[in-house]
Amino acid sequence: MAQSNKPISMREVAELAGVSIATVSRVINGLGGFSEETRKRVEKVIEENGYIANQAAKGLREARTRTIGMIVPDITNDFFSTLALQAERAFADEGYSVLICNDANDAERGEHYLRTLISKRVDGIICISGRTTFDEDEVLGNVPIVYVDRFPERSHDIPRVISDDLRGGRLATEHLIERGCTRIAFMTGTHSALSVQNRGIGYEEALAGHGLAADPALRIELKGRVRRFQEARETLAAVIASGVDFDGIFAMNDVIAVGALLALRDAGIRVPEDVRVVGFDDSIYASIATPALTSVRRFPEEMAKRGCETLLSLIEGNDVELEDVIPVELAVRESTA
Amino acid sequence: MAQSNKPISMREVAELAGVSIATVSRVINGLGGFSEETRKRVEKVIEENGYIANQAAKGLREARTRTIGMIVPDITNDFFSTLALQAERAFADEGYSVLICNDANDAERGEHYLRTLISKRVDGIICISGRTTFDEDEVLGNVPIVYVDRFPERSHDIPRVISDDLRGGRLATEHLIERGCTRIAFMTGTHSALSVQNRGIGYEEALAGHGLAADPALRIELKGRVRRFQEARETLAAVIASGVDFDGIFAMNDVIAVGALLALRDAGIRVPEDVRVVGFDDSIYASIATPALTSVRRFPEEMAKRGCETLLSLIEGNDVELEDVIPVELAVRESTA
DNA sequence: ATGAAAGCGCTAACAT
DNA sequence: ATGTTAGCGCTTTCAT
């Protein structure tokens, strides 16, 4: 099982081909300045010896690694994995690899990852995190970075691609109101990112716009750092048991909404007859839930694409727009029929 | 937005601290051989200038990058994202970063990624792929690699961590038989990985063991490269429309099983009364489906953990066991009640 | 058309 | 205790 003999280097290729290392470099990079015969000879040696260029060395010399760092809260959540998949693909198309880091909404972990990425000298960073606690300017130094979906409060002039969360919250809530709900609960996290808070603001605005009060008893907070449907299920079960009255639920994301759906079913409460439910993200969970979940559709593929484009622009030293807001729309399904 | 001044190097730290570069290196790596006063001076300079060591250079020198490459078929599938999350965490704990590559079951893409990983000189590779078409020995050179969940047919002495797929297929099928099913369909991919084929073999063995014939009409194949529940839904809908009779379904994974569940509901077929369904993976989809899906539980966290341990052993030059089979068990839920 | 040599940022002998 | 130096594998002037 022991494996040892290290890969052949450019110098060795040069020796085997009887040319200088510079010539090998020229051939490999197609820079011209070599005869057809030399090219063939060099390529033959490369082929026969399975030479694969050492990008680490190349990167050191060129001062760029062709690697992008990506920080996500939870790759296990369909919304983020879709985002990550798309981003990875988009970067791969441009010749970049992606280092994916899960910070699980843990600021400390996130900061550590950021340092790691910088020490690896990634060419840029895609960051989905609203919880940076330290002074970024100092740590980040000069790595191009773009925030996607979430961003820290004090992110001065760092570009971001976000969705229209406030409008999403408003759309969801207004939809519930139109369906006749008057006591609408909002399920969210304890200390959410700004983006998520905006969904709550949209919710409150919609309520206010229709003369409804935002009853604090209807704000249901989940403590966990990472969203798991079981926690939502248990938390809502407790709320139901406590006798709080509600006829609609707006959940901050689909994972929570699905947990809510299960808790309602456990309690024998019918959806949508007794309680209507709206989620956020329009992820796979919304489609496979029963009843199928009405959800605020976002466009993770588009967000990933824009994020990549922005980051690549930044890397190339171009100017980019600071805030790129991707619209949302409501996907109406059975849970609010 | 333009960012330029590059990060400070070790040489600059040395100059600012009035010591040699070697001393800085010693301080940073805590190798001793410097006075307390020197240490303080160096650390002060590092602190004040936000020096972050260049791992690319360090890696070049040390001939190791502290980076692991990971090839997955579809990070969007809960099973794989759970595996990836756990692997990333385990490696992070050991000081490694992980480059995640999605090959979407595309051999060409997979091969390309493999080359990229090798050119980046990753210290090892975790590979979930059964579709390598080329001669690995040549391309892989000497990178330690371990296959998880899937492995190519000709992977000679490359270690793997897999689950007991054959037994899983048998368990699922026998369970359906016990519940009274006699015409059990098997939903799978057209050209599946060996691991998946084994689930089919388990299915056939179970049928044979109970004197049931494996009707070719009951083998339902999905063409897509990546498993999407919509494809499964549509494919099964067509089968139903064609009048094929069945009273049980064993799906090669939960995504497909959930698609089947939806198709059955669309057709007004009751689960489990008319048709019973069993999935594979016991992923989140099984838990949130309605009816909740009976599924063959695997242990992606455990598989990831073992895979990491094995790879790290390999990297350290130790011997490892060639095949590590993780047991499976049946999680019985409403879909087969 | 080709080679020699400097240097990217670091570590690790080998000095002193 | 600290410095000097030779590379790691590459790209890139600058010669020839």
Side-chain angles (χ1 to χ4, degrees):
Chain A
M1 223 44 284
Q3 299 167 319
S4 57
N5 56 331
K6 43 187 286 207
I8 178 178
S9 76
M10 197 157 118
R11 154 151 279 112
E12 298 175 82
V13 171
E15 277 162 13
L16 288 170
V19 297
S20 81
I21 181 177
T23 297
V24 176
S25 176
R26 288 191 190 101
V27 170
I28 286 177
N29 297 296
L31 298 178
F34 47 79
S35 69
E36 185 62 7
E37 195 225 316
T38 303
R39 206 210 72 218
K40 278 190 186 135
R41 199 142 34 90
V42 170
E43 287 181 343
K44 183 153 166 280
V45 173
I46 288 178
E47 172 69 27
E48 288 176 349
N49 296 277
Y51 168 75
I52 295 187
N54 184 329
Q55 291 294 338
K58 190 170 185 157
L60 176 60
R61 175 62 223 233
E62 295 179 330
R64 62 156 176 179
T65 53
R66 288 220 164 265
T67 302
I68 297 293
M70 184 162 185
I71 296 184
V72 290
D74 177 20
I75 195 83
T76 260
N77 179 323
D78 186 65
F79 179 76
F80 297 122
S81 63
T82 302
L83 207 48
L85 171 67
Q86 222 50 40
E88 192 258 0
R89 176 142 309 167
F91 280 119
D93 287 347
E94 300 295 326
Y96 289 85
S97 304
V98 180
L99 282 166
I100 295 186
C101 310
N102 263 274
D103 76 355
N105 287 323
D106 180 332
E108 232 179 289
R109 201 182 281 268
E111 176 172 350
H112 172 255
Y113 274 134
L114 221 34
R115 284 183 178 280
T116 302
L117 292 176
I118 290 167
S119 83
K120 293 224 186 242
R121 296 296 191 269
V122 293
D123 296 337
I125 295 176
I126 290 277
C127 185
I128 307 180
S129 166
R131 312 185 140 271
T132 334
T133 56
F134 59 104
D135 188 343
E136 298 178 323
D137 293 341
E138 272 183 24
V139 174
L140 288 176
N142 303 285
V143 209
I145 175 169
V146 3
Y147 285 105
V148 173
D149 179 43
R150 303 179 180 183
F151 57 98
E153 305 197 32
R154 298 159 299 107
S155 55
H156 324 287
D157 51 357
I158 298 180
R160 43 176 171 264
V161 177
I162 54 180
S163 49
D164 197 342
D165 293 289
L166 196 137
R167 188 170 138 72
R170 198 140 27 77
L171 278 178
T173 312
E174 282 173 350
H175 174 68
L176 286 168
I177 296 173
E178 279 165 20
R179 289 290 199 255
C181 301
T182 56
R183 291 192 50 76
I184 302 170
F186 178 47
M187 294 184 74
T188 185
T190 312
H191 300 292
S192 296
L194 233 54
S195 308
V196 175
Q197 289 179 37
N198 283 334
R199 298 174 200 171
I201 296 178
Y203 157 80
E204 285 164 7
E205 283 186 7
L207 290 183
H210 290 261
L212 295 172
D215 184 345
L218 293 178
R219 183 186 174 87
I220 304 173
E221 290 189 350
L222 308 185
K223 316 279 186 228
R225 272 218 170 107
V226 174
R227 302 279 76 92
R228 300 269 170 252
F229 79 97
Q230 280 299 8
E231 191 198 357
R233 184 182 199 163
E234 289 159 13
T235 304
L236 186 59
V239 170
I240 292 171
S242 77
V244 173
D245 181 50
F246 59 90
D247 57 9
I249 295 178
F250 168 41
M252 166 268 250
N253 74 17
D254 284 347
V255 175
I256 296 177
V258 163
L261 244 29
L262 293 174
L264 292 169
R265 206 181 44 172
D266 294 341
I269 299 173
R270 294 167 307 164
V271 177
E273 293 83 353
D274 306 328
V275 170
R276 277 165 236 265
V277 181
V278 178
F280 213 99
D281 289 350
D282 192 25
S283 59
I284 186 175
Y285 313 125
S287 298
I288 69 179
T290 306
L293 188 67
T294 292
S295 186
V296 177
R297 175 173 304 152
R298 311 213 279 152
F299 300 87
E301 292 90 348
E302 180 67 15
M303 293 175 78
K305 193 173 142 253
R306 300 278 194 99
C308 297
E309 284 168 5
T310 303
L311 187 55
L312 290 172
S313 274
L314 229 43
I315 289 173
E316 283 157 15
N318 302 322
D319 276 358
V320 301
E321 48 181 336
L322 233 188
E323 187 164 280
D324 192 357
V325 181
I326 311 295
V328 298
E329 59 187 46
L330 196 69
V332 180
R333 299 207 183 79
E334 302 159 9
S335 69
T336 57
Chain B
M1 225 41 287
Q3 298 165 315
S4 55
N5 55 331
K6 43 186 286 206
I8 178 180
S9 76
M10 199 158 117
R11 154 150 278 113
E12 297 175 81
V13 171
E15 277 163 13
L16 287 170
V19 296
S20 82
I21 181 176
T23 297
V24 176
S25 176
R26 289 192 191 99
V27 170
I28 287 177
N29 297 298
L31 298 179
F34 45 81
S35 69
E36 185 63 6
E37 196 225 315
T38 303
R39 205 211 72 217
K40 277 188 187 139
R41 200 142 33 91
V42 170
E43 286 181 344
K44 183 153 167 280
V45 173
I46 288 178
E47 173 68 26
E48 288 176 349
N49 296 276
Y51 168 75
I52 296 187
N54 184 331
Q55 291 293 340
K58 190 169 185 156
L60 176 59
R61 177 60 225 236
E62 296 180 329
R64 64 163 179 173
T65 53
R66 288 222 164 264
T67 302
I68 297 292
M70 182 161 186
I71 297 184
V72 289
D74 177 18
I75 193 83
T76 260
N77 180 323
D78 186 65
F79 178 77
F80 298 121
S81 62
T82 302
L83 207 47
L85 172 66
Q86 221 50 41
E88 192 259 357
R89 176 142 309 166
F91 281 120
D93 288 346
E94 300 294 326
Y96 289 85
S97 304
V98 180
L99 282 166
I100 295 186
C101 310
N102 264 274
D103 77 354
N105 287 324
D106 180 332
E108 234 179 288
R109 201 184 281 268
E111 177 172 352
H112 173 256
Y113 275 132
L114 222 34
R115 283 182 178 281
T116 302
L117 293 177
I118 289 167
S119 83
K120 295 226 184 240
R121 295 298 190 269
V122 294
D123 296 336
I125 296 177
I126 290 276
C127 186
I128 307 179
S129 166
R131 311 184 141 273
T132 335
T133 56
F134 59 103
D135 188 342
E136 297 177 323
D137 292 340
E138 272 184 23
V139 174
L140 289 176
N142 304 287
V143 209
I145 174 168
V146 5
Y147 284 106
V148 174
D149 178 44
R150 302 180 180 182
F151 58 97
E153 306 196 32
R154 297 160 298 107
S155 54
H156 326 288
D157 51 357
I158 299 179
R160 43 176 171 263
V161 177
I162 55 180
S163 48
D164 197 341
D165 292 288
L166 196 136
R167 182 158 179 332
R170 198 143 22 82
L171 278 179
T173 311
E174 281 172 352
H175 175 68
L176 287 167
I177 295 173
E178 280 164 20
R179 288 290 197 258
C181 301
T182 56
R183 290 192 52 76
I184 303 169
F186 178 48
M187 295 184 73
T188 186
T190 311
H191 300 293
S192 297
L194 233 53
S195 310
V196 175
Q197 290 179 38
N198 282 335
R199 297 174 201 172
I201 295 178
Y203 157 81
E204 285 164 8
E205 284 186 4
L207 290 184
H210 290 261
L212 294 172
D215 184 344
L218 293 178
R219 183 185 174 87
I220 304 174
E221 290 189 350
L222 309 185
K223 315 280 187 226
R225 273 221 169 102
V226 175
R227 303 277 79 91
R228 299 269 169 251
F229 79 96
Q230 281 297 7
E231 193 199 356
R233 184 183 201 161
E234 288 158 14
T235 304
L236 185 59
V239 170
I240 293 171
S242 76
V244 174
D245 181 49
F246 58 90
D247 56 9
I249 295 178
F250 167 42
M252 165 268 252
N253 74 15
D254 285 347
V255 175
I256 295 178
V258 164
L261 243 30
L262 294 173
L264 292 170
R265 203 180 47 172
D266 294 343
I269 299 174
R270 295 167 306 165
V271 177
E273 294 83 352
D274 305 328
V275 170
R276 279 163 234 267
V277 181
V278 177
F280 213 99
D281 288 351
D282 192 25
S283 59
I284 186 175
Y285 313 125
S287 297
I288 69 180
T290 305
L293 188 68
T294 292
S295 187
V296 176
R297 177 173 302 152
R298 309 212 278 152
F299 300 87
E301 292 90 349
E302 180 66 16
M303 293 174 78
K305 191 173 143 256
R306 300 277 193 101
C308 297
E309 284 168 4
T310 304
L311 188 54
L312 291 172
S313 273
L314 229 43
I315 290 173
E316 283 157 16
N318 301 322
D319 275 0
V320 300
E321 49 182 336
L322 234 189
E323 187 163 280
D324 191 357
V325 181
I326 312 294
V328 299
E329 59 186 48
L330 196 68
V332 179
R333 299 209 184 76
E334 303 158 8
S335 69
T336 57

